[in-house]
Amino acid sequence: MPSAQPLRLLLLAGSARGGALSVRLRDAARRLADAAGATTSVIDLRALALPLYDGDLEAAHGVPDGARQLREAIAMADALLIVTPEYNGFPTPLEINAFDWLSRLQAEAPAPSGLASTAGKPVALLASSPGPLGGLRAMNYLRQYLQMAFAMLVVPQQYALGRANEAFDEAGAFKDAKAAQSVAAVLDALLRVAGALRSA
Ligand SMILES: Cc1cc2nc3c(=O)[nH]c(=O)nc-3n(C[C@H](O)[C@H](O)[C@H](O)COP(=O)(O)O)c2cc1C
């Protein structure tokens, strides 16, 4: 890592159900990021308690505070790692809804707008699925969404963990060293970009 200060990495999973494969992959990736010297934190999208986006609700009550929690976590991070499941080829409603609400937040000095909190921020994507492709299609749509709408710098390296239901041992470690290496390579690329941007 180019900087003496540890890089701050925020990790998100696109599912919050008990036993979620994306949470298991997020936690395994977090251990690798810790080992690489990053300072890691996670945010639980379900705990933000964001209702399904509704313009009438926004007009009546404003943007829910959960979106501010997400904005603060993103603003504090040097880089994000998002682990997405795949629902019918797409990222999950939990992920998209959280970022849609984030996009509605105006600047509230000293806090930036939701979109300003993401602009230029590096992010890497992982996906997980019990299927053979591991959620590859969802990851590619998520890449487009984050680049196009949120001006995020999505690093080219990504990894989809297929057969994710068989990928972890009881301690949550990867059974296959190649999977661990693939995730580590994505993290390495992300942290290199984040380090270079911070020193720029
Ligand atoms: C509505 C729905 C659609 C799904 N579509 C896909 C899909 O397109 N591709 C895939 O690989 N798995 C699909 N699955 C299976 C998920 O990959 C699987 O349920 C996975 O465990 C969900 O992620 P999680 O474990 O992180 O909650 C779908 C599951 C649901 C509930």
Side-chain angles (χ1 to χ4, degrees):
M1 245 177 278
S3 168
Q5 286 297 317
L7 290 161
R8 297 163 301 179
L9 176 67
L10 175 67
L11 298 96
L12 295 80
S15 170
R17 73 177 182 89
L21 300 172
S22 51
V23 170
R24 293 165 79 178
L25 179 53
R26 179 201 70 190
D27 291 346
R30 184 181 190 180
R31 286 190 286 276
L32 291 173
D34 287 336
T39 298
T40 60
S41 58
V42 299
I43 189 161
D44 176 351
L45 295 180
R46 181 163 65 182
L48 300 178
L50 289 163
L52 187 62
Y53 179 78
D54 178 331
D56 289 344
L57 195 153
E58 182 185 6
H61 303 291
V63 179
D65 274 341
R68 292 182 181 80
Q69 292 172 42
L70 179 58
R71 172 175 65 186
E72 185 178 350
I74 291 173
M76 292 286 293
D78 295 305
L80 271 66
L81 182 77
I82 302 180
V83 185
T84 187
E86 180 172 273
Y87 285 0
N88 299 309
F90 268 67
T92 61
L94 184 69
E95 293 166 288
I96 298 298
N97 189 55
F99 275 84
D100 280 347
W101 272 119
L102 177 70
S103 74
R104 302 298 297 166
L105 269 180
Q106 302 298 312
E108 298 160 313
S113 70
L115 290 175
S117 75
T118 58
K121 189 138 298 193
V123 56
L125 306 180
L126 301 176
S128 53
S129 159
L133 297 182
L136 180 67
R137 295 175 299 168
M139 197 163 43
N140 288 337
Y141 285 115
L142 186 58
R143 168 179 298 279
Q144 184 180 356
Y145 173 76
L146 295 172
Q147 286 177 171
M148 178 194 65
F150 291 87
M152 298 192 83
L153 297 176
V154 190
V155 298
Q157 292 82 357
Q158 60 181 24
Y159 178 65
L161 178 66
R163 310 279 183 226
N165 53 322
E166 300 164 4
F168 302 101
D169 66 18
E170 284 177 10
F174 291 105
K175 289 183 190 168
D176 179 3
K178 281 186 188 162
Q181 285 163 11
S182 298
V183 173
V186 172
L187 283 167
D188 182 60
L190 175 65
L191 295 175
R192 279 175 187 273
V193 169
L197 283 171
R198 197 171 62 177
S199 347

